[in-house]
Amino acid sequence: YYANAEALAAARPKIAASVYLDDAAGQLRLAEAAVSPIAAQVCTGKGLEPKPKLTFAIGRHVRVLELGADYTLAYASNVKPGTATVTLQGMGSYTGTASVQFNIVLAKAKGVSAKSTKARKLALSWKSVPCAASYKAEYRLKGAPKWQRKSAGKKTKLTLKGLKRGKRYQVRIVASGFGQTSTSAAVTSGKVKQ
């Protein structure tokens, strides 16, 4: 841990202090810090605020920066699926800014159910996916190579009709929104009623 910018810069005398210091403020430039990447986050419909890790190295001397003491965080475009930006503002012995981006993706539908309550039909249902604008059901005879599709619009329920009696079907739900799609794990129905 270094008490001030001058002491930290002195840890590597072969490189001029101006590489790390802001001449006017006498502080270390945050832009020289290493910012850890942020893994993709799943959309929840609320602002996502993952916290990156910052380290500042001069030679073999490395310091992990502290949020609230060395820098602050500000988030932009962090609610909907797409690319969000985290801006890091230096404070204390650090000045200037750095930034890192992360992706927000659609969650996969959960709670997918496929039940046959009437002849040649399957009643499908699933839980709502945050940030999804529409859904499609993909289905096929168990073991068949190709999927068929049927739109559910914004609803989280759908009835498949005209199915083969006594057969089992595999079903999965495709959620769409903000230019993205996500596909749930497939579930297998019971036998379609006669």
Side-chain angles (χ1 to χ4, degrees), residues 128-144:
S128 176
V129 175
C131 305
S134 63
Y135 304 93
K136 289 181 181 178
E138 294 186 336
Y139 62 99
R140 66 184 180 186
L141 280 169
K142 184 179 179 181

Side-chain angles (χ1 to χ4, degrees), residues 13-95:
K14 291 183 179 180
I15 297 180
S18 61
V19 173
Y20 306 100
L21 294 172
D22 180 277
D23 292 335
Q27 296 168 299
L28 290 160
R29 288 195 291 268
L30 196 68
E32 302 295 335
V35 184
S36 65
I38 299 174
Q41 306 289 303
V42 176
C43 183
T44 63
K46 299 180 180 180
L48 297 169
E49 298 185 351
K51 293 176 174 57
K53 179 181 178 181
L54 274 74
T55 55
F56 202 100
I58 296 181
R60 291 174 296 175
H61 302 275
V62 179
R63 182 190 171 205
V64 177
L65 276 60
E66 297 181 16
L67 177 61
D70 300 315
Y71 64 95
T72 60
L73 298 175
Y75 296 83
S77 303
N78 64 328
V79 177
K80 302 175 182 178
T83 302
T85 300
V86 186
T87 300
L88 305 97
Q89 176 67 56
M91 61 184 295
S93 295
Y94 298 85
T95 188

Side-chain angles (χ1 to χ4, degrees), residues 71-190:
Y71 64 95
T72 60
L73 298 175
Y75 296 83
S77 303
N78 64 328
V79 177
K80 302 175 182 178
T83 302
T85 300
V86 186
T87 300
L88 305 97
Q89 176 67 56
M91 61 184 295
S93 295
Y94 298 85
T95 188
T97 62
S99 65
V100 63
Q101 294 182 321
F102 63 93
N103 292 322
I104 300 176
V105 299
L106 280 178
K108 296 179 181 180
K110 297 181 179 181
V112 181
S113 173
K115 297 180 180 180
S116 182
T117 56
K118 295 182 180 180
R120 302 187 67 188
K121 295 181 181 180
L122 277 179
L124 310 183
S125 63
W126 56 93
K127 293 181 180 179
S128 176
V129 175
C131 305
S134 63
Y135 304 93
K136 289 181 181 178
E138 294 186 336
Y139 62 99
R140 66 184 180 186
L141 280 169
K142 184 179 179 181
K146 293 184 179 181
W147 295 90
Q148 299 181 66
R149 297 175 179 82
K150 185 173 181 180
S151 175
K154 297 181 179 180
K155 297 180 179 180
T156 55
K157 292 183 179 181
L158 181 66
T159 299
L160 302 178
K161 302 177 181 180
L163 305 179
K164 293 186 177 181
R165 296 181 174 91
K167 299 294 184 179
R168 298 180 188 273
Y169 281 78
Q170 290 177 308
V171 177
R172 62 189 187 187
I173 301 302
V174 179
S176 300
F178 298 94
Q180 295 187 15
T181 60
S182 66
T183 303
S184 73
V187 300
T188 301
S189 72

